[in-house]
Amino acid sequence: MPYAVHFLIVFAILAVGAVAYMIRLRRQARARLNLLDGLISGTSDGVLTVDARGVVIGVNVAAARMFGQTDGAQADIALSDLLPEMPAGDVLADATFRMDAVRANGVAFPVEVSCVGPGEQGGNTRILLVHDLSRVRAGVTDDEHRFKQSQYFARIGTWDWRVDTDELYWSDAIYGMFGYKPGEVTPSYSLFCDAVHPDDRERVRQGELRCIETGENHDEEYRVVWPDGHIRWLRETGNVIKDGTGETVKMMGVVRDITEEREASDQIRDLAFNDPLTRLPNRIIFEDRLSKAIERAKRHKKRVAVVFIDLDGFKQINDQRGHAAGDRILIATGQRLMSAVRASDTVARIGGDEFTVVLEDLETDAEVHGLADKILGAVSAPMASDDKTYQVGASLGISIYPEHARTLDTLIHLADQAMYAAKAEGTNLYRIGAGGAE
């Protein structure tokens, strides 16, 4: 083989090996950069990249949150705007400084700044690591740590608000109550207000102003809307802190998540005041609404009718077809009664197969007769269930305020008597007061 050919083959092999080695080095460098980018993005400390002019040309997510601006908003601004006390020019790698930083709203906060080395552009840039000391207290004992943990699990947190600024402190437990991880956002009064449910916001604000102006204890229950749309109930209590001149400078207090308590309370209230089968109001709510309807009628010189309804033929179906079929008939009857009357009227189930209706704002006898006929037609129409058709009748008794009585007990008694009188004469009949069956 000629010498020249041999030389070319060796050169080609060396060239291929060099190219492969360079590709490997570039892949390793890219992997290191990707790892560095991941670490910078994921760290809880702020990372600032600063060029030779002292201009911030890059920030990570933590820095954006720390300085109270949106992601990337700090880029291309002077480092002295964020860290006024930071030495200008080159500093030694691994040098550490303690100083005050400045948030976007002008509030100063303590930080520890470390110069961790040059940036990607070598000596033309430097990377600064910023640790927020306002979130850290030296000498935290195990007992204090356990106390913070107990706050978190008990869903109780402490807060501190300077009333003359937007500055707000949250203990770690409060972040979760607003749908955040500890340290994920910078607490501020405006952030708090935006999180409160729009329907509760003004009431909470007025309660805080009343506490500031009068010194009365602050105690409010309100809803908050999480970033993902979830709604939670919180209870906030607190009071004011005054300076030596008697001027209010702070509000401090605790907040607690009461969502489960509210849900349990609502369930108990529902069981206490609503029929568990039909979900209609029970006798307690029926009498309460009748009492209020009588008061309104007295003030506005209107009429109120009380209707007692007893189903005819229900017992036979319940005995022959079983309680499940009977329950379906009762549920359907309640729904039909709701559809037959006006939205302002009240339908209730007071026990067994007995229902009541409170009819308000009546002007004429014709209205009473028309509604009674509509109720009978709705209840007595055939209803299908489990591929079977059932039909029940109804007997109605009606008493009217103020013609027949002016008190709740007497109106109920007369309507009950009228219903039994109608039932004695047949089915699908109604009787008004002391009159005959219709």
Side-chain angles (χ1 to χ4, degrees):
M1 179 182 298
Y3 176 78
V5 174
H6 180 77
F7 175 79
L8 288 174
I9 292 173
V10 172
F11 180 79
I13 293 172
L14 291 174
V16 170
V19 170
Y21 181 70
M22 291 299 295
I23 291 173
R24 181 182 177 188
L25 288 179
R26 293 185 65 180
R27 286 178 176 173
Q28 289 176 342
R30 189 178 297 112
R32 285 195 295 270
L33 286 175
N34 290 338
L35 177 60
L36 178 61
D37 287 342
L39 291 173
I40 290 174
S41 298
T43 183
S44 60
D45 287 332
V47 179
L48 307 178
T49 302
V50 184
D51 68 11
R53 301 168 299 159
V55 175
V56 178
I57 59 174
V59 298
N60 70 339
V61 174
R65 291 171 178 162
M66 182 184 301
F67 287 96
Q69 299 184 16
T70 56
D71 291 1
Q74 291 84 3
D76 297 324
I77 67 172
L79 177 64
S80 58
D81 290 341
L82 305 180
L83 302 170
E85 302 172 24
M86 187 67 190
D90 294 333
V91 294
L92 295 175
D94 300 326
T96 300
F97 306 89
R98 288 201 174 193
M99 63 188 69
D100 281 344
V102 180
R103 301 193 201 280
N105 59 10
V107 175
F109 63 103
V111 295
E112 184 176 81
V113 182
S114 301
C115 183
V116 296
E120 294 180 16
Q121 300 174 1
N124 294 327
T125 63
R126 52 181 170 152
I127 296 177
L128 302 181
L129 189 66
V130 184
H131 186 56
D132 187 349
L133 297 177
S134 67
R135 305 286 172 205
V136 179
R137 289 187 300 111
V140 176
T141 66
D142 289 343
D143 286 343
E144 289 176 299
H145 179 70
R146 282 191 288 269
F147 174 70
K148 289 179 65 176
Q149 289 292 97
S150 68
Q151 276 194 334
Y152 181 82
F153 289 113
R155 295 180 181 176
I156 298 175
T158 54
W159 55 271
D160 180 327
W161 169 46
R162 290 193 61 89
V163 300
D164 58 341
T165 71
D166 200 43
E167 193 173 4
L168 178 66
Y169 163 79
W170 281 350
S171 65
D172 286 354
I174 297 183
Y175 286 89
M177 299 180 198
F178 285 79
Y180 299 106
K181 296 177 181 178
E184 183 178 354
V185 294
T186 300
S188 66
Y189 187 69
S190 56
L191 174 73
F192 162 74
C193 290
D194 290 342
V196 175
H197 193 286
D199 293 344
D200 300 341
R201 198 171 292 158
E202 182 60 25
R203 174 172 52 81
V204 173
R205 175 63 176 164
Q206 291 303 316
E208 290 169 341
L209 291 176
R210 185 169 56 252
C211 178
I212 293 170
E213 292 170 2
T214 67
E216 296 176 358
N217 289 335
H218 175 61
D219 191 342
E220 293 285 351
E221 293 184 4
Y222 56 87
R223 292 162 291 177
V224 292
V225 183
W226 284 13
D228 63 3
H230 278 79
I231 295 177
R232 305 288 294 183
W233 275 97
L234 306 181
R235 182 178 181 182
E236 176 182 288
T237 58
N239 212 326
V240 296
I241 303 297
K242 299 180 182 292
D243 61 17
T245 65
E247 190 74 19
T248 296
V249 292
K250 279 187 179 183
M251 280 188 67
M252 299 179 66
V254 298
V255 63
R256 182 164 60 92
D257 190 318
I258 59 168
T259 304
E260 282 70 28
E261 294 176 28
R262 291 281 304 209
E263 290 174 351
S265 177
D266 290 344
Q267 290 176 355
I268 293 171
R269 188 181 299 108
D270 184 63
L271 290 172
F273 299 127
N274 292 281
D275 173 55
L277 177 64
T278 63
R279 313 311 302 163
L280 294 173
N282 60 14
R283 179 181 284 274
I284 295 173
I285 297 300
F286 158 67
E287 293 187 359
D288 178 69
R289 293 188 182 175
L290 175 57
S291 175
K292 291 175 180 175
I294 292 171
E295 289 299 321
R296 285 192 290 269
K298 188 183 300 181
R299 288 197 305 271
H300 302 294
K301 302 187 184 308
K302 297 284 188 177
R303 306 166 83 204
V304 176
V306 181
V307 184
F308 266 55
I309 304 163
D310 186 79
L311 301 184
D312 298 328
F314 172 78
K315 186 176 185 303
Q316 291 88 332
I317 296 173
N318 198 53
D319 290 344
Q320 294 171 8
R321 301 296 183 184
H323 293 296
D327 287 348
R328 286 191 287 270
I329 289 174
L330 293 174
I331 293 170
T333 299
Q335 294 170 343
R336 291 184 175 192
L337 288 173
M338 290 287 291
S339 300
V341 300
R342 303 160 301 180
S344 59
D345 300 325
T346 296
V347 177
R349 182 188 177 211
I350 59 174
D353 59 353
E354 290 188 330
F355 296 82
T356 58
V357 179
V358 179
L359 305 171
E360 296 193 57
D361 296 326
L362 299 172
E363 298 285 351
T364 65
D365 289 340
E367 288 181 276
V368 179
H369 289 285
L371 286 167
D373 288 332
K374 193 174 181 181
I375 290 171
L376 283 176
V379 173
S380 61
M383 58 184 73
S385 177
D386 292 339
D387 298 327
K388 298 182 182 299
T389 300
Y390 301 100
Q391 189 166 16
V392 295
S395 297
L396 275 60
I398 304 171
S399 63
I400 301 173
Y401 170 91
E403 288 95 319
H404 302 136
R406 293 178 175 270
T407 65
L408 179 145
D409 290 339
T410 306
L411 281 169
I412 291 175
H413 177 67
L414 291 177
D416 193 40
Q417 282 190 324
M419 182 266 291
Y420 280 109
K423 197 176 189 69
E425 297 183 26
T427 188
N428 291 331
L429 300 174
Y430 64 89
R431 186 168 182 169
I432 300 177
E438 303 285 346

